[in-house]
Amino acid sequence: NATEAKKETDAPKDAKQLSFSGEGSKVEWTGRKVTGLHNGGFKTFTGKAWLSADGKTLEKVEVDIDVASVFTDSDGLTKHLKTDDFFNIEKYPKARFVTTEVKAGETYTLTGNLTLRETTKSVSFPAKVKIAGGKLFSDAVTRVVFVQFVLFSTPVGLHHQFTDPGISSGWKLVHTFTTYAIMFPSLVTAFTVI
């Protein structure tokens, strides 16, 4: 659920900062539709994570993504994602996510400002975060990528289903109502900071 952007705060002064990038981490996803699925992600990104002074709790995350580095398992889809229908990489080459609130627990809840196509919205998502030996491990921070598709590919992204002659009108109607519901559980990501 996207809402208006919230005020960003600084990490605590005694927080321990970790850096990560596409050289040792991954931003990947699987997107599903009625007729199949596609795997993709971003190759180029950098970020920072701050841990509490004792190194046991995640305090803040910032991620900058080079949107032009998007990739999928289909050259045609990759080219299309780069157009104005989706990311419009020539006009909007960068995406950014900065947490505004981090709720610790067995599963963290990360709330933050997602900026894409010069529009910033507040989004929240669960993140499994493990901190071991001063290193941060998470399989969910990159779910932010999913939110990008929800916010900026609708309604233009739906035209794929409506122009496919192999899909009946009934399935197109079902797809219209379930697009968002299908995408939440279908997002599969892996994110590691080492």
Side-chain angles (χ1 to χ4, degrees), residues 124-141:
S124 293
F125 56 92
K128 291 182 182 176
V129 176
K130 298 175 189 169
I131 301 167
K135 295 185 178 183
L136 177 70
F137 300 91
S138 173
D139 67 353
V141 171

Side-chain angles (χ1 to χ4, degrees), residues 133-154:
K135 295 185 178 183
L136 177 70
F137 300 91
S138 173
D139 67 353
V141 171
T142 59
R143 292 179 191 204
V144 169
V145 174
F146 160 73
V147 177
Q148 296 170 348
F149 282 110
V150 171
L151 292 176
F152 302 106
S153 68
T154 304

Side-chain angles (χ1 to χ4, degrees), residues 1 124 143 146-147 150 178-188:
N1 294 329
S124 293
R143 292 179 191 204
F146 160 73
V147 177
V150 171
T178 61
T179 296
Y180 299 110
I182 289 171
M183 291 183 77
F184 277 106
S186 70
L187 185 65
V188 178

